[in-house]
Amino acid sequence: ISTAVFGRGTDFFCKDETIQRNGGVHVIQTFLSEEESEEIQIMGRTSRQGKKGSYQMILLNSDLEEKFGLAREWKSTNAKKDWYNCLSNARKKHRDTVCDEIEANIAAATEKDCNTHCYFDALLASDKKAASNIFSDIYTSFKRELVPSSIELDLAFLIDITGSMTPYTHATAATIKNMLFGSGSIVSKLNINFPKIEFYLRVGVMGFRDIDDGSQQFSESIS
């Protein structure tokens, strides 16, 4: 059992003649490589130096779905002889997406680098107005960095509801209600300040009583 890194440049050899008589070293790859070259390297860990060997892939559908976007029923909608071509096409599509992202990041970084050089050129030229304008543009561009479309928040309350705290129970409940609902709630304020992000709030409340209350010592609620 080896990680992917051992599939590149590591010389595997077998001196057991019993294994050779029974077909040689058999390599099983349990993931789809992002690049075909890596797959070929892993395949090449067997049948080395003229010896016998074999290779196969055993893949998990959920991995293919999550990483390469293949539908779970992809095998049933393709003839068995076309399975590998289907995997190769999914890999190429995934690789193209990764390359597009890399190129977009390089373009964005190049633009920032160019703006930074212009800023320093303006400083060296003692052009205060130009330097100020360029700096403002640079700062604004950093403020426009990509933000997630949604954020999940977990909020937990641990409340003392022993006898001595009973007089404060209603005030505590009202405070929590105001934090969760209405125009002054946490989510409402977040929506005002970050209108492009959708917030999901999970709330857990646990109240604890005296230890003598036994099984009734804790009261829990999650929503």
CSV table of all heavy atoms in Angstrom, one decimal, residues 12-20 24-25 51:
chain,number,residue,atom,x,y,z
A,12,PHE,N,10.4,-0.2,-8.3
A,12,PHE,CA,9.8,-1.4,-7.7
A,12,PHE,C,10.3,-2.6,-8.5
A,12,PHE,O,10.3,-2.7,-9.7
A,12,PHE,CB,8.3,-1.4,-7.7
A,12,PHE,CG,7.7,-0.4,-6.8
A,12,PHE,CD1,7.6,0.9,-7.1
A,12,PHE,CD2,7.1,-0.8,-5.6
A,12,PHE,CE1,7.0,1.8,-6.3
A,12,PHE,CE2,6.6,0.1,-4.7
A,12,PHE,CZ,6.5,1.4,-5.1
A,13,PHE,N,10.8,-3.6,-7.7
A,13,PHE,CA,11.3,-4.8,-8.4
A,13,PHE,C,11.0,-6.0,-7.5
A,13,PHE,O,10.9,-5.9,-6.2
A,13,PHE,CB,12.8,-4.8,-8.7
A,13,PHE,CG,13.7,-4.6,-7.5
A,13,PHE,CD1,14.2,-5.7,-6.8
A,13,PHE,CD2,14.0,-3.3,-7.1
A,13,PHE,CE1,15.0,-5.5,-5.7
A,13,PHE,CE2,14.8,-3.1,-6.0
A,13,PHE,CZ,15.3,-4.2,-5.3
A,14,CYS,N,10.7,-7.1,-8.1
A,14,CYS,CA,10.3,-8.3,-7.3
A,14,CYS,C,11.3,-9.4,-7.6
A,14,CYS,O,11.6,-9.8,-8.8
A,14,CYS,CB,8.9,-8.8,-7.8
A,14,CYS,SG,8.4,-10.3,-7.0
A,15,LYS,N,11.8,-10.0,-6.5
A,15,LYS,CA,12.8,-11.1,-6.7
A,15,LYS,C,12.2,-12.5,-6.3
A,15,LYS,O,12.8,-13.5,-6.3
A,15,LYS,CB,14.0,-10.9,-5.8
A,15,LYS,CG,14.8,-9.7,-6.1
A,15,LYS,CD,16.0,-9.5,-5.2
A,15,LYS,CE,16.9,-8.3,-5.7
A,15,LYS,NZ,18.0,-8.1,-4.8
A,16,ASP,N,10.9,-12.5,-6.0
A,16,ASP,CA,10.2,-13.7,-5.7
A,16,ASP,C,9.7,-14.4,-6.9
A,16,ASP,O,8.8,-14.0,-7.6
A,16,ASP,CB,8.9,-13.3,-4.8
A,16,ASP,CG,8.3,-14.6,-4.2
A,16,ASP,OD1,8.3,-15.6,-4.8
A,16,ASP,OD2,7.8,-14.4,-3.0
A,17,GLU,N,10.3,-15.5,-7.2
A,17,GLU,CA,10.0,-16.3,-8.4
A,17,GLU,C,8.6,-16.9,-8.4
A,17,GLU,O,8.0,-17.1,-9.5
A,17,GLU,CB,11.0,-17.4,-8.7
A,17,GLU,CG,12.4,-16.9,-9.0
A,17,GLU,CD,12.4,-16.0,-10.3
A,17,GLU,OE1,11.7,-16.4,-11.2
A,17,GLU,OE2,13.2,-15.0,-10.3
A,18,THR,N,8.1,-17.1,-7.2
A,18,THR,CA,6.7,-17.6,-7.2
A,18,THR,C,5.7,-16.6,-7.7
A,18,THR,O,4.8,-16.9,-8.4
A,18,THR,CB,6.4,-18.0,-5.7
A,18,THR,OG1,7.3,-18.9,-5.2
A,18,THR,CG2,4.9,-18.5,-5.6
A,19,ILE,N,6.0,-15.3,-7.3
A,19,ILE,CA,5.1,-14.3,-7.8
A,19,ILE,C,5.3,-14.1,-9.3
A,19,ILE,O,4.3,-14.0,-10.1
A,19,ILE,CB,5.5,-12.9,-7.1
A,19,ILE,CG1,5.1,-13.0,-5.7
A,19,ILE,CG2,4.8,-11.8,-7.8
A,19,ILE,CD1,5.4,-11.7,-4.9
A,20,GLN,N,6.5,-14.3,-9.8
A,20,GLN,CA,6.7,-14.2,-11.3
A,20,GLN,C,6.0,-15.3,-12.0
A,20,GLN,O,5.4,-15.0,-13.1
A,20,GLN,CB,8.2,-14.2,-11.6
A,20,GLN,CG,9.0,-13.0,-11.1
A,20,GLN,CD,8.5,-11.7,-11.8
A,20,GLN,OE1,8.3,-11.7,-13.0
A,20,GLN,NE2,8.2,-10.7,-11.0
A,24,GLY,N,3.4,-12.1,-11.9
A,24,GLY,CA,4.2,-10.9,-11.6
A,24,GLY,C,3.4,-10.0,-10.6
A,24,GLY,O,2.3,-10.3,-10.2
A,25,VAL,N,4.0,-8.8,-10.4
A,25,VAL,CA,3.5,-7.8,-9.5
A,25,VAL,C,2.2,-7.2,-10.1
A,25,VAL,O,2.2,-6.9,-11.3
A,25,VAL,CB,4.5,-6.7,-9.2
A,25,VAL,CG1,3.9,-5.6,-8.4
A,25,VAL,CG2,5.7,-7.3,-8.5
A,51,LYS,N,10.0,-8.1,-16.8
A,51,LYS,CA,9.3,-9.1,-16.0
A,51,LYS,C,7.8,-9.0,-16.2
A,51,LYS,O,7.3,-8.0,-16.8
A,51,LYS,CB,9.6,-8.9,-14.5
A,51,LYS,CG,11.1,-9.2,-14.2
A,51,LYS,CD,11.4,-9.1,-12.8
A,51,LYS,CE,12.8,-9.5,-12.5
A,51,LYS,NZ,13.2,-9.4,-11.0
